[in-house]
Amino acid sequence: MSNKNRKPVQIDSEEEGKYFDSLFAKESTNEEKQSKNHQETEPTQIQEPRLQQFEKIRDYYKNDKSQKQYSIYLPESIQKMIKRHAILEDKSFSQVAKELFLDHYLSNSEIKSAYNDDYDRRNGLKP
């Protein structure tokens, strides 16, 4: 029961769509075209300065909210004690663990190396 005379419609949604939908129409101005060309020709500019001092790098990581989940297996009684201390300090278990790792476990050079790798990745300097 298909219609054999039917032909597929070839529509460029960007071009044709602006005529159908006036609420979300994309009006391209000369300024937008120039800025688009400018962005394509120049490499991306770095938005954030690279931190050099260790204290600032450590504070950056302590205040950084981007996290990835990682499981730590501890005896239940130790977990409860750490949680109790974290609650008294108005911190989460993760914040306490992060501070302990940054202050007592990782060396200064390891933290700096991790920061430099992250910085290069964030700013497109390293794949």
Side-chain angles (χ1 to χ4, degrees), residues 9-126:
V9 178
Q10 300 293 327
I11 294 179
D12 180 13
S13 61
E14 287 294 318
E15 285 297 312
E16 297 294 325
K18 67 182 175 184
Y19 300 116
F20 298 125
D21 191 357
S22 62
L23 180 61
F24 299 107
K26 289 188 175 183
E27 298 289 330
S28 59
T29 62
N30 287 338
E31 292 175 6
E32 288 178 3
K33 289 179 183 177
Q34 288 175 354
S35 67
K36 197 180 243 187
N37 290 338
H38 182 71
Q39 289 174 352
E40 291 174 0
T41 57
E42 288 190 15
T44 57
Q45 293 181 359
I46 297 172
Q47 299 295 325
E48 63 176 298
R50 186 184 294 259
L51 300 176
Q52 301 295 328
Q53 297 176 347
F54 174 71
E55 290 79 20
K56 290 183 179 181
I57 292 172
R58 185 178 55 214
D59 291 341
Y60 167 81
Y61 276 119
K62 284 185 178 182
N63 298 324
D64 187 24
K65 302 295 180 199
S66 63
Q67 299 178 14
K68 185 175 179 182
Q69 185 175 354
Y70 189 79
S71 298
I72 299 175
Y73 297 96
L74 296 170
E76 186 177 351
S77 58
I78 299 295
Q79 285 182 2
K80 287 181 180 181
M81 287 303 232
I82 293 172
K83 286 181 184 179
R84 189 175 298 145
H85 278 276
I87 290 169
L88 291 174
E89 295 178 10
D90 197 31
K91 296 178 181 178
S92 70
F93 190 96
S94 296
Q95 289 171 325
V96 171
K98 182 171 31 172
E99 288 181 7
L100 288 172
F101 290 139
L102 290 171
D103 292 340
H104 302 291
Y105 191 74
L106 296 173
S107 69
N108 296 359
S109 61
E110 290 171 327
I111 295 171
K112 282 183 178 181
S113 175
Y115 172 78
N116 288 329
D117 289 344
D118 285 347
Y119 179 87
D120 291 344
R121 239 178 266 114
R122 281 192 310 272
N123 292 292
L125 301 174
K126 193 176 197 180

